[in-house]
Amino acid sequence: MFTTVFLWITAIGWLGYGLYCLFVPSTLTTVAGLVPSTLTAEVEIRAMYGGLQSAVGVLALIGALRPAQTQGVLLALVCIYLGLCSTRASSAILLGDGSSYSVGAAIFESLSALICFVLLRKAQTAGA
């Protein structure tokens, strides 16, 4: 039950934010300080913050709607969150970035990875 609720919240959050960033990429200028200097940069922002984040939301939605897929979705989310968190944290340390955006995102990603990992282990134990 908690896993399904978590996946629904994840789906709504990522899909909603992804679609918003796709259609209003200028929000990232305000929120994260990203200022596209070329059309290619704006396309990249739309792809990575719009398309990729929307896809993560769809992935979570699949896990919420298809119980047979839940373990695979949780494993994928663990990998996504750990990739984001480890790269963000190491880059922030290397560059000396202690902005609230970077710190907040790293905390969100690490806690989300932990939750997904615990839910995955619980699902694996229940299925064994």
Side-chain angles (χ1 to χ4, degrees):
M1 173 71 171
F2 180 78
T3 300
T4 303
V5 171
F6 175 79
L7 288 171
W8 271 106
I9 292 169
T10 300
I12 292 166
W14 281 86
L15 188 55
Y17 188 63
L19 290 173
Y20 188 71
C21 289
L22 175 64
F23 294 110
V24 189
S26 60
T27 193
L28 292 166
T29 300
T30 305
V31 174
L34 296 177
V35 180
S37 57
T38 64
L39 291 177
T40 302
E42 184 170 335
V43 168
E44 186 66 12
I45 287 172
R46 287 177 189 256
M48 296 304 293
Y49 284 85
L52 183 60
Q53 291 191 27
S54 294
V56 172
V58 170
L59 178 68
L61 185 60
I62 290 168
L65 294 174
R66 297 186 167 186
Q69 303 298 319
T70 299
Q71 286 188 41
V73 167
L74 288 170
L75 178 59
L77 289 173
V78 167
C79 293
I80 290 166
Y81 284 128
L82 287 177
L84 286 168
C85 179
S86 62
T87 304
R88 187 182 314 279
S90 61
S91 296
I93 291 167
L94 181 67
L95 298 171
D97 175 28
S99 70
S100 59
Y101 181 86
S102 294
V103 172
I107 291 169
F108 167 76
E109 292 155 358
S110 61
L111 290 176
S112 296
L114 179 62
I115 291 168
C116 288
F117 180 77
V118 168
L119 293 173
L120 178 61
R121 294 296 295 161
K122 181 180 171 188
Q124 290 172 334
T125 303

